[in-house]
Amino acid sequence: SGELELSVDPPGGETLKQNISLTAEKTLLDLTDVVPARAVVKSSPLVAEIKEAIRKGAVIEGNGAWALYQQLMREAPQEPQRVNLEIELKGALEELGQQSVNNYVRSSAQAFNTEQLRRASIAYTLLKQLDPENPQIEAKRLFAASRVLLSQGKGREAIALLERSIQ
């Protein structure tokens, strides 16, 4: 009991804050009238599947987090957890891409893993869809793609991508 600040963070809605004074030991609050209807919308079961796929590291695979996210956007584009999912996806894609680039930097020219750089290129391509205004993502994507082209003996195309990556 006493003077307290009540803060409610509904999914997809604005934070509601209110100072309240409680006089009873146990108080029940009914927020039905003050919480926007959108905030009480149930999340799609795909949300849990996407989070689980990210946790397992299955991000760009055919049945991974990205494919599930695309399905969610087709089926429930107004998903209340969309922003949170996109933040998690961005983090997972960035981590996947950066790990591959870091491994390349630490390896010798003959030992680098082309498949890992291919996955980095894919991760950065998908990340760009979530964050199209970030120039660093495009530079990293072009770098990884150029290294894949080099491994395929396509030097001219690779050089063109590398030049674009530093502009």
Side-chain angles (χ1 to χ4, degrees):
S1 68
E3 196 67 31
L4 301 170
E5 180 182 85
L6 174 68
S7 178
V8 178
D9 294 315
E14 282 188 45
T15 299
L16 305 170
K17 289 185 179 182
Q18 179 73 46
N19 287 329
I20 58 173
S21 181
L22 301 178
T23 55
E25 200 171 295
K26 181 177 180 181
T27 303
L28 296 175
L29 295 174
D30 181 359
L31 301 175
T32 308
D33 293 337
V34 295
V35 174
R38 184 175 185 275
V40 295
V41 173
K42 294 265 189 230
S43 286
S44 165
L46 288 170
V47 171
E49 291 180 48
I50 293 166
K51 289 182 177 199
E52 180 64 14
I54 291 171
R55 189 188 68 72
K56 289 181 176 177
V59 181
I60 63 173
E61 291 69 21
N63 59 349
W66 183 261
L68 292 168
Y69 170 76
Q70 294 298 329
Q71 180 182 347
L72 179 70
M73 291 303 96
R74 287 189 304 274
E75 295 175 6
Q78 299 302 316
E79 168 59 47
Q81 293 296 313
R82 180 179 180 164
V83 172
N84 293 337
L85 283 176
E86 288 176 352
I87 290 168
E88 286 187 53
L89 266 173
K90 284 179 188 179
L93 290 166
E94 177 67 37
E95 184 178 331
L96 177 62
Q98 194 60 50
Q99 280 177 346
S100 299
V101 171
N102 289 349
N103 287 343
Y104 166 76
V105 170
R106 286 191 293 259
S107 66
S108 67
Q110 267 94 29
F112 77 88
N113 186 329
T114 304
E115 175 60 16
Q116 228 178 17
L117 285 168
R118 186 191 68 76
R119 290 173 55 80
S121 181
I122 292 168
Y124 286 126
T125 299
L126 299 176
L127 184 56
K128 187 163 175 61
Q129 291 179 40
L130 292 174
D131 195 0
E133 303 301 317
N134 187 333
Q136 290 180 348
I137 293 169
E138 179 65 359
K140 291 176 181 181
R141 183 192 72 77
L142 291 169
F143 172 80
S146 70
R147 296 309 305 181
V148 171
L149 288 172
L150 277 175
S151 74
Q152 297 169 344
K154 299 177 181 176
R156 194 168 286 174
E157 293 98 329
I159 290 170
L161 287 184
L162 282 170
E163 287 174 345
R164 281 181 42 210
S165 76
I166 59 173
Q167 293 177 352

